[in-house]
Amino acid sequence: MSEKKFPISPERLEEIIKKHPTPFHIYDEKMIRANIRRLFKAFSWAPSFREHYAVKAAPNPRLLQILREEGAGADCSSLPELLLADAAGMQGEKIMLTSNDTPADEFQKAIELGAVINLDDISHIDYLEKNAGFPSCLSFRYNPGSLIEGNDIIGKPEEAKYGLTREQLFEAYRIALSRGVKRFGLHTMVISNELHADSFINTARLMFNLAVELKNKLGIQLEFVNLGGGIGIPYRPEENEVNIEYVGQGIRQAYEAIIQPAGLDGMAIAMELGRAITGPYGYLVATVLHEKKTFKDYIGLDACMADLMRPAIYGAYHHISIMGKEAAPCDQTYDITGSLCENNDKFAIDRQLPKIDIGDRVILYDTGAHGHAMGFNYNGKLRSAELLLHEDGSIELIRRAETIDDYFATLRYEGSVL
Ligand SMILES: *Cc1c(COP(=O)(O)O)cnc(C)c1O
């Protein structure tokens, strides 16, 4: 079971809304810090543990700054993400570029920042060398194909566009060695939103064995193995969180059994968790605008799928509560909708909730990763603000809401009607 509890009282929320109108996402700084500390502690046995927070999960430099203060680096997959990590004070090899179908300017920026570059394909070796040159530390993304099952969100590895096959991987390191690269890492990311702790341990074992093979066949002493992101969170109250201490201990056993006897001790373990770090500590706050009763009972919010897309695109569950009605019986059945002209703009379908009134404040849980980040402007919808809840209860605006001017900005060219 996972407890769903909004960290702000109804009275305090009303004060906040007076200054910052709904909808907005709000992030709980204290809990994010506590959570990443717990991750570092679970891997404190490792000679060196690196968390490169997946910037795409919550691309806000203020959040990145908090994570940097806690020791995290960044995993970037675009030029703007590299710039955000840099702006948040992340430096050098704290930044890792894991992109695919990568354009030259992204590689060039990564080189300029001194980042680790993680190549998605064997053909990118030539492209990188020609367009940007090699970084001090180069990594390759491994796609284990049918050796690993994958899951619903990311699909089967052999259907995934990412990474190199096993044969290509050995060839790629061989080529990079021959071109003078001296420092190497190895990466994979095969699961997404996975709640089974053992799948991470199994992935680690597979990667550790590969690290040993690379040493035996090519003489490469890997500096790190990066196990990617993908640890899930309990979106549903009846689900359980992944026990990170258990994962840490399981990976430790694999490390001691495989890495140490092979003489690779000192090799770092890296991860690129996004969702598991900030996901549970973000909330989308919205207000009920309308109730409509036709074939079903619809509650219309001032938020829409531009603010949170996961229910619409994955059919994902996000827990919902009505402010001040936490103890009321859930004896009504509603579809909770946004205003987009798309019938899948529904945050919940046939959800059992307490009786809802116009003006009620609605809390959508677990929006701290892949929430605001996935927003878009279809239908002229503007994206919401982001707020940070500090430990002392004060609020910081860390992204203002989009304005119509923002939306029109790209339409203002010479001779434009706007
Ligand atoms: C999306 C992504 C992540 C983060 O995934 P989470 O599910 O948020 O942990 C990490 N690495 C890569 C390469 C990704 O594409």
Side-chain angles (χ1 to χ4, degrees), residues 290-350:
H290 300 285
E291 178 172 15
K292 167 173 176 163
K293 297 185 182 198
T294 52
F295 305 103
K296 299 182 87 172
D297 201 342
Y298 295 102
I299 295 294
L301 306 185
D302 59 359
C304 71
M305 67 186 281
D307 303 299
L308 179 66
M309 255 174 109
R310 298 188 69 260
I313 61 171
Y314 304 128
Y317 180 95
H318 277 264
H319 194 66
I320 293 176
S321 71
I322 312 301
M323 208 63 195
K325 297 184 178 175
E326 292 77 10
C330 292
D331 55 4
Q332 309 286 313
T333 306
Y334 295 113
D335 279 15
I336 308 293
T337 79
S339 58
L340 214 94
C341 294
E342 275 289 338
N343 194 43
N344 59 356
D345 186 13
K346 293 181 179 177
F347 293 112
I349 297 172
D350 296 331

Side-chain angles (χ1 to χ4, degrees), residues 52 54 56-57 75 77 98-99 118 141 162 187 189 191-193 228-232 272-276 369-370:
H52 300 274
K56 77 164 191 270
D75 165 45
S77 49
T98 294
S99 64
N118 186 33
R141 180 172 186 163
Y162 309 112
H187 170 276
M189 159 111 187
I191 34 190
S192 178
N193 195 24
I231 292 189
E272 303 167 341
L273 300 174
R275 191 187 319 267
H370 313 290

Side-chain angles (χ1 to χ4, degrees), residues 246-290:
Y246 172 88
V247 174
Q249 283 310 308
I251 293 179
R252 176 183 198 163
Q253 281 165 12
Y255 192 95
E256 288 171 356
I258 303 168
I259 294 298
Q260 282 175 353
L264 281 168
D265 34 345
M267 187 190 83
I269 293 179
M271 286 194 180
E272 303 167 341
L273 300 174
R275 191 187 319 267
I277 302 298
T278 54
Y281 310 113
Y283 306 83
L284 173 59
V285 181
T287 301
V288 176
L289 294 183
H290 300 285

Side-chain angles (χ1 to χ4, degrees), residues 163-207:
L164 292 79
T165 66
R166 199 184 147 79
E167 295 69 38
Q168 288 173 334
L169 196 70
F170 283 87
E171 182 59 17
Y173 283 103
R174 204 172 283 122
I175 296 170
L177 274 171
S178 75
R179 309 249 176 113
V181 179
K182 297 205 163 52
R183 300 174 51 223
F184 292 101
L186 170 66
H187 170 276
T188 198
M189 159 111 187
V190 284
I191 34 190
S192 178
N193 195 24
E194 177 61 61
L195 289 172
H196 292 108
D198 284 318
S199 53
F200 302 100
I201 300 168
N202 293 339
T203 302
R205 207 173 287 126
L206 178 103
M207 295 294 278

Side-chain angles (χ1 to χ4, degrees), residues 63-88:
L63 294 177
L64 297 181
Q65 192 185 27
I66 289 168
L67 295 169
R68 175 186 50 78
E69 285 167 9
E70 296 296 336
D75 165 45
C76 302
S77 49
S78 69
L79 183 54
E81 287 186 0
L82 286 168
L83 297 174
L84 287 172
D86 184 42

